[in-house]
Amino acid sequence: MSQTVAIIGSGLIGRAWGMIFARAGWDVRLWDPVEGVATSAVGLCAEGLRDLAAHGLCDDPAGAAMRIAASTTLEEAVGTAAFIQENGPERLDVKRDLFARLDAAAPAEAIIASSSSAIRVSLFTEGLPGRSRCLIGHPVNPPHLIPLVELSGADWTAPETITRARGIYQAIGQVPVTVLKEVEGFILNRLQGALLAEAFRLVSEGYVTPADLDLTVSEGLGLRWSFLGPFATIELNAPGGVEDYCARYTGFYKRLAAEPAPPAVYEGEAVAAIMQQWTSERDLPAKMRWRDRRLAALRAHKASAEKEG
């Protein structure tokens, strides 16, 4: 079987996956249900690869771009694929339809992964003959700049599927983590959700402005978290490590956990209070491009620091 990947859905996430696999030497076949989207995505991927090269994140952007092509049908895209990355809308009915088609059309040895952000793979693969080769491969937006991929299988996903998928993601330069038990939202979005709920509560109840809350993360927590996780962070914040930290400091956290932010923080009055203070970006695409440039620079710095040890 050739080193071909089928990218099903050629929007922002699909194009990022296309660049990641092509940069790593794979042949990429893009498909999208909307006519013309996959064809347009080929050029957008080439542009994105050139941007990566400008930050030292792609050695041969022209060569990588030549490995990307559009397919006219889903069946054509997956016909010789060793790996399939599905990037359809976050809707259960769509996932069920796509995975039924993919399972019927893909080679028997091909792994089928979904970029689903929260929907568990068991909800749309139970009745498939090839359900053992299906899993979640949830990326972080934008995937070509943030390497984490969450792997989550159903009870029927074969262990070798997870092992093979983890090896493939590592080989293409991503950083896979394994979700040991199925849970809605997987790991990253559940962590993000806990922080967001408290952020919404603190701003909507008048403790801080949204701008200053963002600074608290970007100039505080975010600096540590860009290279240390929460457990590694607290280990370094107490002389005796994690157990010492818990003994010294968790009284407050226990009180906080006893009164978590309620669902209402995401509803009308709370959101209105936030929006009264929030200055929306006039040009969101320009802000996204700025974000991507800063992420590329950070990714390049981290790669350089890792080489230096």
Side-chain angles (χ1 to χ4, degrees):
M1 187 176 294
S2 64
Q3 288 286 92
T4 298
V5 62
I7 305 297
I8 306 302
S10 302
L12 287 171
I13 302 300
R15 294 199 301 270
W17 278 122
M19 288 187 282
I20 292 165
F21 276 94
R23 178 179 60 185
W26 286 58
D27 293 325
V28 176
R29 299 294 175 262
L30 302 173
W31 178 81
D32 196 277
V34 179
E35 186 176 354
V37 169
T39 301
S40 298
V42 174
L44 292 170
C45 286
E47 181 181 344
L49 287 164
R50 290 192 294 271
D51 290 341
L52 288 174
H55 290 277
L57 299 176
C58 180
D59 294 334
D60 181 13
M66 290 180 63
R67 289 189 284 271
I68 302 174
S71 297
T72 56
T73 67
L74 177 148
E75 289 72 19
E76 176 188 320
V78 305
T80 61
F83 198 89
I84 299 160
Q85 188 78 37
E86 174 270 324
N87 311 283
E90 192 75 358
R91 285 174 43 190
L92 184 56
D93 59 333
V94 174
K95 301 289 186 194
R96 283 176 175 157
D97 177 67
L98 279 175
F99 265 70
R101 294 179 63 187
L102 292 170
D103 190 45
E109 297 299 319
I111 291 174
I112 310 176
S114 174
S115 294
S116 172
S117 296
I119 304 173
R120 290 170 288 144
V121 72
S122 60
L123 297 179
F124 53 86
T125 63
E126 182 174 8
L128 300 182
R131 65 183 189 174
S132 65
R133 44 118 166 231
C134 300
L135 77 158
I136 298 294
H138 171 231
V140 185
N141 189 30
H144 59 298
L145 298 172
I146 302 179
L148 186 80
V149 188
E150 296 181 292
L151 309 188
S152 177
D155 288 343
W156 48 78
T157 301
E160 56 265 31
T161 296
I162 301 292
T163 300
R164 286 176 56 208
R166 188 168 183 132
I168 288 170
Y169 285 126
Q170 286 176 329
I172 64 173
Q174 301 302 95
V175 179
V177 297
T178 300
V179 181
L180 299 177
K181 296 191 295 184
E182 269 200 309
V183 62
E184 183 181 17
F186 320 121
I187 306 303
L188 184 141
N189 278 332
R190 294 181 74 89
L191 290 172
Q192 180 172 245
L195 189 147
L196 278 175
E198 190 61 25
F200 271 65
R201 171 162 66 177
L202 290 170
V203 174
S204 65
E205 294 182 3
Y207 293 102
V208 66
T209 66
D212 277 356
L213 188 137
D214 273 8
L215 286 174
T216 302
V217 176
S218 65
E219 300 299 324
L221 290 173
L223 290 179
R224 289 191 301 212
W225 286 353
S226 68
F227 59 93
L228 287 174
F231 289 118
T233 293
I234 65 172
E235 182 176 50
L236 301 180
N237 282 355
V242 174
E243 289 183 340
D244 187 18
Y245 184 94
C246 291
R248 289 170 180 260
Y249 303 122
T250 57
F252 154 71
Y253 293 117
K254 291 176 182 178
R255 293 191 295 274
L256 180 62
E259 296 182 6
V265 297
Y266 295 115
E267 296 171 0
E269 290 185 12
V271 174
I274 293 168
M275 294 310 299
Q276 286 176 357
Q277 306 172 69
W278 181 252
T279 303
S280 296
E281 292 291 336
R282 294 184 179 181
D283 188 346
L284 281 176
K287 187 68 172 182
M288 289 178 186
R289 290 191 294 272
W290 171 86
R291 175 203 65 187
D292 288 357
R293 290 194 300 270
R294 301 320 309 146
L295 283 172
L298 179 59
R299 180 84 183 270
H301 166 72
K302 290 188 69 174
S304 175
E306 288 168 2
K307 289 179 182 178
E308 294 173 1

